[in-house]
Amino acid sequence: MAEAVVLAVSKIGTTLAEDATKVVIAKLSEKVTNLKELPRNVTRIQKELNMMNNVIQDFSTSDIRKYVIKGWIAEVRKLAYHVENIMDKYLYYAHQMQEEGKVMKFIKRIDYIKIFNEVADDIVQIEKDIKQVKDLKEWSLTVEQMNPNESTYIERQGSTVCLSELTKDEDLMGIEDNRKKLTQWLYTSEPHSTVITVSGMGGLGKTTLVRNVYDREKGNFPRKAWIVVSQTYNVQDLLRNLLMKIANKEQPPSANMDRMDVYEKQPPLANMDIYEVQDEINKKMKDTKCLIVLDDVWDYEAYIKIRNALKNLQESRIIITTRKEDVASLASSKCRLELHPLGDTDSFNLFCRRAFNNKEDYKCPSELMEVATSIVRRCQGLPLAIVSIGSLMSSRQETVYAWNRTYNQLKDEMLNNDNIRAILNLSYHDLPGDLRNCVLYCSMFPEDYSMSRESLVRLWVAEGFVVRKDGNNPEDVAEGNLMELIRRNMLVIYENDELGKVNTCKMHDIMRDLALSVA
């Protein structure tokens, strides 16, 4: 939300530090009104923008959603963009003038005096605009709205949860019976390939369950692959990805698609047509025990179209996760698993593991039992909703007032949204401004896209969403943001590296839909 201000402040700092700025002032200050005062004026603007940014960062969750405050922040953003544009214009012509060297020789070709007069006048006007925006704040924001300290302190407190604590098996409440059932199906005596389907509505934890089983059992299968299908898919890309995985080439297809040495004595993968890819998959998987997961399949035809590449497999197991009943019917009745919402006990225990993660026994304080039970009941047994609201509540002070305040906000959200969307919406708006920007940025990737940790960190830094903080460089701050979004269930871990560090992550499609609607 305040990224425009941060970028403008950064641009001012860059402008003031440039030698070209000093050259322009030295050569044209006698001819350009207000140019000599430009550094001092710009420094004042920088301080004012910094203060406005601090005000925005201090707003509480409920404040930033009020129309009057949204309007004021929009005015600050427009002001920051204007400042950035002026600084860009100044630097562009300052560098051009410096490179030309002999200014007077070229003064008739480019009227620098006119240009820098305009810049100096724009800076003076910006100072007037800042005063107007500050007056708007005083007029539009009441004492209650401009008193964020108490509510922010009540709403948020630091979280001490470690990432490793988010992925323990015991945190996966209510899945033990289903996990045993899935595992048994993997090791039946059936000699031919077997299709297993796991179905249910969004947010029930289909992918979480299957990923848990896959990670536990994949070591027992010489060939294995996890393929995300999603609503929009390309069969040839899916098959190429499958071939990559079973050939133990873990790099994404785009990284290897044109390399001649990906498969010895084979043409480049990009040059193989769909039939050649199918034949190569059959060769690789022939007489080999395989475990293949097709995650998030929406279309019955998606499996039918790639089935030829999976024919004649011996003792191979294909697990499909889906929300669609017709896709679930691809498996025989004895290998179909339909997930249902968690029961009251499992729901409450899962909530407490997130909300009270800093307690050794994850026990809910007696004074919060009533409101905690009401919050969990609103989740309707959906793990995605439970984990999201539990993570949000972990940042609240453990007082009845603070918890009831958030519960009332949740009830207000549910007047306009279904339960899971309301919870995710509340969780999103609870994020600090820099984290909200990171979430919105992630929503620009395609559905079910596997996002590289390293790439995300660099992209966030390049976009100006993170800056140096508390002595940490922007890359370290961005890493911390990523871990916080995973903790809050805005992003989910897709793959870890050999050291257990996050390698890739994804955004749940429900969360992505919400972020796109916000954007």
Side-chain angles (χ1 to χ4, degrees):
M1 184 172 293
E3 75 281 357
V5 180
V6 173
L7 288 173
V9 170
S10 175
K11 187 61 65 69
I12 288 173
T14 301
T15 303
L16 292 176
E18 286 278 352
D19 290 337
T21 297
K22 300 169 186 174
V23 170
V24 170
I25 293 173
K27 293 189 175 183
L28 298 181
S29 59
E30 298 301 324
K31 298 181 176 67
V32 177
T33 309
N34 296 322
L35 187 59
K36 190 178 292 185
E37 297 297 317
L38 186 139
R40 188 179 294 108
N41 294 343
V42 169
T43 300
R44 281 200 299 269
I45 291 173
Q46 186 179 35
K47 291 178 180 178
E48 294 279 10
L49 289 177
N50 265 322
M51 185 57 66
M52 290 179 176
N53 184 47
N54 292 337
V55 171
I56 293 172
Q57 296 295 340
D58 278 345
F59 280 134
S60 68
T61 304
S62 55
D63 282 340
I64 62 172
R65 304 177 70 183
K66 295 173 181 174
Y67 289 111
V68 66
I69 295 180
K70 282 184 179 179
W72 182 75
I73 291 175
E75 291 301 318
V76 174
R77 185 186 292 113
K78 285 193 291 186
L79 187 66
Y81 285 147
H82 192 193
V83 170
E84 189 179 0
N85 289 339
I86 294 171
M87 293 298 100
D88 282 337
K89 179 179 179 180
Y90 182 95
L91 278 179
Y92 174 79
Y93 285 106
H95 280 294
Q96 185 166 314
M97 192 178 84
Q98 187 182 34
E99 289 169 7
E100 289 177 353
K102 296 179 181 180
V103 179
M104 297 309 296
K105 179 180 178 181
F106 294 94
I107 200 75
K108 293 180 180 178
R109 292 176 58 187
I110 299 178
D111 192 346
Y112 288 114
I113 293 176
K114 178 182 177 182
I115 289 170
F116 288 110
N117 254 322
E118 291 173 356
V119 170
D121 290 344
D122 284 341
I123 292 296
V124 172
Q125 183 59 45
I126 283 287
E127 289 196 280
K128 295 178 182 178
D129 292 343
I130 285 178
K131 184 179 184 307
Q132 185 179 18
V133 171
K134 288 170 65 178
D135 290 342
L136 282 175
K137 181 193 71 173
E138 298 302 326
W139 172 79
S140 62
L141 305 181
T142 65
V143 173
E144 179 184 2
Q145 291 168 333
M146 282 297 296
N147 185 26
N149 293 334
E150 181 182 358
S151 58
T152 302
Y153 181 71
I154 289 171
E155 287 182 7
R156 297 192 185 97
Q157 61 182 17
S159 172
T160 59
V161 66
C162 300
L163 183 60
S164 60
E165 292 178 330
L166 302 183
T167 55
K168 293 178 180 177
D169 281 353
E170 57 265 30
D171 287 343
L172 304 175
M173 290 293 170
I175 75 163
E176 189 56 40
D177 290 343
N178 288 332
R179 179 166 58 195
K180 286 180 179 178
K181 193 177 294 185
L182 270 182
T183 304
Q184 288 172 358
W185 291 345
L186 293 182
Y187 298 106
T188 59
S189 57
E190 178 64 43
H192 302 294
S193 64
T194 301
V195 176
I196 300 166
T197 58
V198 179
S199 61
M201 65 183 292
L204 278 175
K206 300 179 293 296
T207 298
T208 301
L209 168 64
V210 174
R211 171 61 76 174
N212 184 266
V213 173
Y214 178 82
D215 287 342
R216 282 166 163 253
E217 308 302 329
K218 63 184 179 182
N220 298 322
F221 292 81
R223 303 283 187 183
K224 57 265 186 184
W226 182 291
I227 307 296
V228 178
V229 181
S230 74
Q231 293 188 68
T232 56
Y233 63 89
N234 179 288
V235 175
Q236 192 159 342
D237 287 344
L238 291 176
L239 291 175
R240 286 175 173 174
N241 197 7
L242 175 58
L243 182 51
M244 281 281 198
K245 296 290 181 69
I246 63 173
N248 295 320
K249 299 292 181 181
E250 292 301 325
Q251 298 92 336
S254 59
N256 286 325
M257 205 160 277
D258 294 318
R259 285 178 51 184
M260 289 296 294
D261 59 343
V262 173
Y263 305 103
E264 294 181 8
K265 300 179 182 179
Q266 294 296 331
L269 186 54
N271 295 335
M272 299 169 65
D273 64 28
I274 190 169
Y275 301 105
E276 290 174 321
V277 175
Q278 288 177 349
D279 289 342
E280 190 62 27
I281 290 174
N282 273 298
K283 290 177 186 177
K284 294 285 184 184
M285 300 174 69
K286 186 178 181 182
D287 301 324
T288 303
K289 194 175 182 182
C290 305
L291 175 59
I292 299 172
V293 174
L294 301 177
D295 186 31
D296 197 24
V297 179
W298 288 72
D299 183 9
Y300 180 92
E301 292 297 320
Y303 175 73
I304 301 302
K305 289 174 182 177
I306 65 175
R307 186 170 55 185
N308 286 339
L310 307 176
K311 63 185 178 182
N312 302 322
L313 301 182
Q314 302 298 315
E315 296 186 67
S316 293
R317 301 294 179 259
I318 302 163
I319 304 178
I320 298 173
T321 69
T322 183
R323 302 183 193 182
K324 301 295 185 179
E325 184 63 27
D326 61 334
V327 177
S329 67
L330 287 166
S332 66
S333 57
K334 64 180 181 180
C335 289
R336 290 176 59 177
L337 179 61
E338 183 179 358
L339 298 190
H340 300 282
L342 297 177
D344 292 344
T345 301
D346 284 333
S347 294
F348 192 80
N349 288 339
L350 178 58
F351 171 80
C352 288
R353 281 189 170 273
R354 285 304 178 99
F356 307 109
N357 56 73
N358 57 343
K359 296 181 181 295
E360 190 172 339
D361 56 358
Y362 311 111
K363 188 175 181 180
C364 177
S366 58
E367 65 271 19
L368 297 179
M369 187 66 72
E370 182 178 350
V371 63
T373 302
S374 298
I375 291 173
V376 173
R377 191 178 297 121
R378 295 275 178 169
C379 296
Q380 299 180 332
L382 296 176
L384 176 62
I386 296 168
V387 170
S388 297
I389 194 66
S391 298
L392 186 152
M393 299 311 296
S394 71
S395 65
R396 296 294 187 263
Q397 275 193 309
E398 293 179 9
T399 65
V400 174
Y401 175 77
W403 277 53
N404 273 326
R405 192 170 188 270
T406 301
Y407 178 50
N408 289 332
Q409 291 174 348
L410 178 61
K411 288 192 291 185
D412 289 342
E413 282 289 343
M414 289 180 175
L415 295 176
N416 301 313
N417 296 292
D418 60 60
N419 288 31
I420 190 167
R421 188 178 177 89
I423 289 169
L424 293 177
N425 200 33
L426 184 63
S427 298
Y428 165 78
H429 282 97
D430 184 67
L431 295 171
D434 53 344
L435 289 181
R436 286 195 295 272
N437 288 329
C438 293
V439 170
L440 294 180
Y441 190 85
C442 290
S443 71
M444 295 194 302
F445 290 97
E447 181 185 3
D448 287 324
Y449 188 84
S450 177
M451 296 175 282
S452 160
R453 172 183 57 84
E454 291 184 354
S455 295
L456 267 186
V457 165
R458 291 168 182 164
L459 288 168
W460 288 344
V461 172
E463 292 289 348
F465 296 156
V466 290
V467 294
R468 185 179 297 275
K469 185 185 297 183
D470 299 329
N472 295 316
N473 63 43
E475 289 76 14
D476 290 337
V477 175
E479 290 266 8
N481 285 357
L482 178 63
M483 295 301 103
E484 181 64 10
L485 291 179
I486 291 172
R487 186 190 75 79
R488 288 174 176 256
N489 218 38
M490 301 286 106
L491 299 175
V492 294
I493 299 173
Y494 183 55
E495 287 179 324
N496 291 316
D497 61 20
E498 61 277 3
L499 299 177
K501 195 173 184 180
V502 177
N503 189 32
T504 57
C505 57
K506 292 168 54 179
M507 177 176 275
H508 196 287
D509 53 359
I510 300 177
M511 186 65 232
R512 179 174 177 271
D513 290 345
L514 171 65
L516 287 173
S517 68
V518 171

